[in-house]
Amino acid sequence: MTLEQSIDLAELQADMAFEAYLAAFDEDAHPQTLDSLETEALIARSRYDDLRSQGLGH
């Protein structure tokens, strides 16, 4: 997998994680569930940001 493909995949995963969080929020999910989904979304976004900054450095 190329760096560009990795960046695209990370962006997709970050978007999906955030959408899952928003859906759970709209459904009044349990606070622990929301915390877990928020953490997953933040981790996914961080991974995307890290890969993107690597890509810009090349």
Side-chain angles (χ1 to χ4, degrees), residues 9-28:
L9 178 59
E11 181 180 24
L12 179 62
Q13 290 171 332
D15 289 345
M16 290 172 56
F18 185 66
E19 288 174 16
Y21 168 77
L22 290 178
F25 184 83
D26 288 343
E27 295 171 2
D28 293 325

Side-chain angles (χ1 to χ4, degrees), residues 7-58:
I7 292 169
D8 290 343
L9 178 59
E11 181 180 24
L12 179 62
Q13 290 171 332
D15 289 345
M16 290 172 56
F18 185 66
E19 288 174 16
Y21 168 77
L22 290 178
F25 184 83
D26 288 343
E27 295 171 2
D28 293 325
H30 191 278
Q32 287 179 325
T33 301
L34 291 175
D35 287 346
S36 177
L37 290 171
E38 180 182 23
T39 300
E40 287 180 32
L42 290 171
I43 291 169
R45 184 61 181 188
S46 178
R47 181 173 180 269
Y48 165 70
D49 290 341
D50 289 345
L51 285 170
R52 188 166 179 265
S53 65
Q54 286 178 22
L56 294 175
H58 286 102

